[in-house]
Amino acid sequence: MPIDLAQIADALPERRVTVIGDALLDVYLQGRVERLCREAPVPLVQIDATQDLPGGAANAAANLAALGGRVTFVSVIGEDADGARLRRALRERGVDDTSLIVDRARRTPAKHRLVADGQMVARFDSGARRALAADIEHALLDRALAACAEADVVVLSDYGYGVFTATVLGALAGLGGRFTAPVVVDSRRLTRFAVVAPTVVKPSYTQALALLERTADAARGGRAERIAAQSERLLQRTGARIAAVTLDTDGAIILEHGRAPYRTYARPARAPRTTGGGDTYVAALALALASGAETPEAAEIASAAAAVVVGKDGTAVCSTAELRALFAGGEKRVPDARALAQRVEAERAAGRRIVFTNGCFDILHRGHVTLLNRAKGLGDVLIVGVNADASVARLKGRGRPINALEDRLKVLAALSYVDYVVAFDDDSPRELISAARPDIYVKGGDYTRDTLPEAALVESLGGAVCILPYVGDRSTSGIIERIRRVVGG
């Protein structure tokens, strides 16, 4: 199937989503420090503004709404001021609050953050973590199961505030098999949710290690590889078909039964002050799966959405407009060989290993994606040279390319593991190779070292040639031929 992440992002709106989980209120008290307090040696903060935002599962619901999802949010709040403020915050963000259940014996969980001159100086929490009473459990389950039956995707967001009791989980047992909709689970206690038979779980690296009963390694390098080596065990422990293990600044590793692990990479960002980035990741992943995306495509959508919110402060959301802007890929576009040499010089000065590959990439498909993903894993910076339209026509014949150069560059730039894209007019990327001086030059499996024209140049510049195998039965020509057969009847 051809891959275009911008098209998938456009397909996210109007999907019906059911979110079940712990509703929290995130309160930000914004102010400035004027002096030290006389009563104690602490700063006196003059509050200038108070902001109420949906938190916990409510943040996941708000992110789904921001991406265009039609959200039914099933949760429990208290009959109190914080509950009323949370309702108002949800409505302001387009989330229907009619499925919220009011428990008069419960205090709405809230997290208050005191931010002075842009720096968080304190957090104070309120609200109960106790389990639900029996009558509240039954009311929640009635609404939850009815909403699941109508959903395109179900999200279970557990923050440990008592919504997911043993009774609730028992009623949700086998949910992943009862409905056709994918079920996505985000929880620090994933083994409890194995009975649900989830489609996807999203542990962090630390949570994945706990599931595997392993301790964290002090070294950060190789985290993805350590998790990938335990893929089947992790999936078995969680009862899921897919596990998206987030690695914060190292991106994520996606594990799936019957498929090789797939890696996404975090985009560079300033030191993040974002809360709830995992909710954004889950929301985008869930909507992409509901839109028919394959697992790697959904993971790329989720990675991109998370990159958007990491650039913000506080509890934030990502919109479809922001996704489209990111997928335009402007910051990854390199105009020519001279500019490429400058970019590479800076990357190499930072100690990064340079990988280069090239091709037409006319209709991006799983074979391309797999090759590029593996290529990135060979180094730190992946540069993709792309044949210009005239060059493709000379190499592939009449009627090619199917997609113009501008479209092909945008689609490639949208992939998290592609760092730079640069076009070339000649039939060979020799000028780009000379500019990049790659440590590794990667090509697909229809070449050998002896039949690759650029091999001698790469080696003369101190680099190595790596031939990666293609995914079987995946080619642009094959896709075009299948389309012609369908169109021709």
Side-chain angles (χ1 to χ4, degrees):
M1 176 183 291
I3 295 172
D4 187 333
L5 298 181
Q7 276 189 351
I8 295 171
D10 288 339
L12 300 183
E14 299 305 313
R15 304 293 168 178
R16 298 167 299 176
V17 190
T18 294
V19 180
I20 308 168
D22 299 293
L24 280 68
L25 175 67
D26 279 356
V27 181
Y28 288 85
L29 304 170
Q30 305 278 357
R32 62 189 185 281
V33 177
E34 294 190 332
R35 59 181 172 81
L36 286 178
C37 179
R38 290 191 179 93
E39 295 98 321
V42 295
L44 190 156
V45 182
Q46 178 66 40
I47 301 299
D48 296 322
T50 301
Q51 187 178 27
D52 295 332
L53 296 170
N59 183 41
N63 269 276
L64 285 156
L67 291 167
R70 292 163 50 195
V71 184
T72 299
F73 181 35
V74 184
S75 188
V76 180
I77 60 174
E79 191 177 42
D80 51 21
D82 284 343
R85 293 163 69 183
L86 178 54
R87 278 189 184 276
R88 185 163 56 250
L90 286 167
R91 289 171 184 162
E92 288 171 354
R93 286 153 188 82
V95 178
D96 185 352
D97 67 333
T98 56
S99 290
L100 292 178
I101 297 163
V102 176
D103 182 354
R104 294 181 176 179
R106 187 179 184 84
R107 288 185 64 192
T108 302
K111 297 180 179 180
H112 300 76
R113 294 173 176 88
L114 178 61
V115 181
D117 298 318
Q119 179 68 44
M120 191 171 83
V121 296
R123 192 184 100 182
F124 45 100
D125 297 356
S126 59
R129 288 180 179 268
R130 64 179 181 79
L132 305 179
D135 59 331
I136 301 296
E137 282 180 329
H138 295 319
L140 181 135
L141 283 170
D142 285 345
R143 297 187 190 188
L145 294 174
C148 289
E150 301 294 326
D152 295 314
V153 64
V154 176
V155 175
L156 306 183
S157 179
D158 173 31
Y159 272 76
Y161 280 83
V163 165
F164 290 103
T165 63
T167 299
V168 169
L169 285 174
L172 296 176
L175 186 67
R178 278 189 272 166
F179 302 114
T180 57
V183 176
V184 182
V185 175
D186 186 14
S187 173
R188 294 178 183 177
R189 308 173 295 173
L190 284 173
T191 51
R192 296 185 70 232
F193 287 80
V195 296
V196 176
T199 310
V200 186
V201 293
K202 188 212 70 68
S204 67
Y205 176 70
T206 303
Q207 291 163 1
L209 288 181
L211 285 165
L212 296 168
E213 299 173 342
R214 300 198 170 200
T215 57
D217 193 320
R220 289 179 62 80
R223 293 192 296 170
E225 291 76 13
R226 286 196 286 276
I227 293 297
Q230 299 292 322
S231 175
E232 288 303 317
R233 185 166 174 233
L234 186 60
L235 293 172
Q236 184 180 29
R237 289 292 310 262
T238 60
R241 180 167 61 85
I242 302 164
V245 182
T246 53
L247 308 169
D248 49 76
T249 56
D250 290 334
I253 182 80
I254 315 302
L255 314 174
E256 183 174 7
H257 281 306
R259 279 192 178 180
Y262 182 85
R263 189 73 195 278
T264 62
Y265 292 80
R267 290 165 169 80
R270 62 171 172 75
R273 293 197 297 264
T274 305
T275 300
D279 298 323
T280 305
Y281 187 96
V282 164
L285 183 72
L287 271 185
L289 291 172
S291 302
E294 292 281 340
T295 306
E297 299 163 8
E300 290 291 341
I301 294 285
S303 173
V308 169
V309 298
V310 165
K312 302 180 181 183
D313 290 330
T315 307
V317 300
C318 172
S319 68
T320 48
E322 289 172 314
L323 270 185
R324 292 188 195 102
L326 187 67
F327 288 151
E331 78 283 359
K332 294 185 178 183
R333 301 275 289 275
V334 182
D336 51 36
R338 181 178 177 182
L340 179 63
Q342 293 172 342
R343 301 270 186 109
V344 168
E345 182 180 0
E347 297 286 4
R348 193 165 267 128
R352 300 187 180 103
R353 189 172 173 83
I354 308 300
V355 182
F356 181 90
T357 190
N358 64 278
C360 299
F361 301 102
D362 192 0
I363 299 177
L364 196 69
H365 53 72
R366 190 154 65 101
H368 291 138
V369 165
T370 301
L371 183 138
L372 293 172
N373 201 256
R374 291 174 179 170
K376 170 72 173 189
L378 298 173
D380 304 303
V381 177
L382 176 59
I383 301 166
V384 182
V386 184
N387 294 76
D389 292 346
S391 175
V392 177
R394 289 192 299 271
L395 292 171
K396 301 295 184 179
R398 184 179 177 184
R400 300 285 297 275
I402 301 297
N403 291 303
L405 176 64
E406 181 69 16
D407 293 334
R408 291 183 282 129
L409 290 172
K410 283 184 177 179
V411 169
L412 286 164
L415 298 171
S416 65
Y417 42 83
V418 173
D419 295 289
Y420 300 111
V421 292
V422 54
F424 61 97
D425 294 313
D426 299 329
D427 294 347
S428 170
R430 295 179 66 85
E431 183 183 11
L432 296 182
I433 290 172
S434 297
R437 297 179 295 111
D439 297 289
I440 301 177
Y441 178 46
V442 173
K443 288 296 286 183
D446 50 354
Y447 288 94
T448 65
R449 158 64 184 78
D450 295 334
T451 62
L452 189 61
E454 296 80 14
L457 172 61
V458 171
E459 292 169 350
S460 72
L461 295 169
V465 174
C466 179
I467 308 298
L468 293 177
Y470 275 140
V471 175
D473 194 31
R474 294 290 188 277
S475 73
T476 300
S477 298
I479 290 172
I480 293 172
E481 183 56 36
R482 288 196 294 275
I483 292 171
R484 284 174 176 162
R485 286 201 299 267
V486 171
V487 172

